[in-house]
């Protein structure tokens, strides 16, 4: 497995607050799965901007990113 550092950034046109919060809650549940199985080493929000940082170990980083509920909802992009 490889280690990756991801920077997530929110897109410019965010959904309404309720929809955004639902997606964030689903994202946090997704991250918790990674913490539980040991694939996510750390994560946290960026200060002053939407998005965050994740350090993850996995075989398929594209799948990891694309399975994130924030990415699925079109709210966040990773680099």
């Amino acid at each position: 497995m490889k280690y990756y550092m991801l920077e997530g950034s929110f897109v410019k046109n965010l959904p309404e607050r309720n929809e955004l919060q639902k997606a964030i809650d689903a994202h946090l549940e997704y991250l918790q799965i990674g913490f539980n199985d040991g694939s996510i080493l750390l994560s946290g929000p960026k200060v002053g901007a939407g998005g965050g940082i994740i350090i993850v170990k996995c075989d398929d980083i594209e799948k990891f990113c694309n399975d994130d509920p924030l990415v699925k909802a079109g709210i966040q992009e990773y680099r």
Side-chain angles (χ1 to χ4, degrees):
M1 278 193 207
K2 294 182 179 179
Y3 290 84
Y4 298 90
M5 185 180 109
L6 299 171
E7 179 185 11
S9 298
F10 283 2
V11 298
K12 291 184 181 181
N13 297 319
L14 295 175
E16 293 182 25
R17 185 178 180 144
N18 288 340
E19 288 302 310
L20 178 60
Q21 190 58 55
K22 286 180 191 177
I24 289 172
D25 291 344
H27 166 75
L28 294 175
E29 289 176 18
Y30 179 68
L31 294 181
Q32 188 60 53
I33 293 167
F35 280 114
N36 291 346
D37 69 18
S39 62
I40 295 180
L41 305 177
L42 69 90
S43 72
K46 294 189 296 188
V47 175
I53 302 293
I54 301 172
I55 295 181
V56 61
K57 61 180 180 177
C58 65
D59 289 322
D60 188 347
I61 194 63
E62 295 293 326
K63 180 176 178 5
F64 175 84
C65 293
N66 291 332
D67 286 349
D68 186 322
L70 287 177
V71 172
K72 286 182 176 183
I75 295 170
Q76 180 165 266
E77 298 172 341
Y78 284 113
R79 66 178 191 108

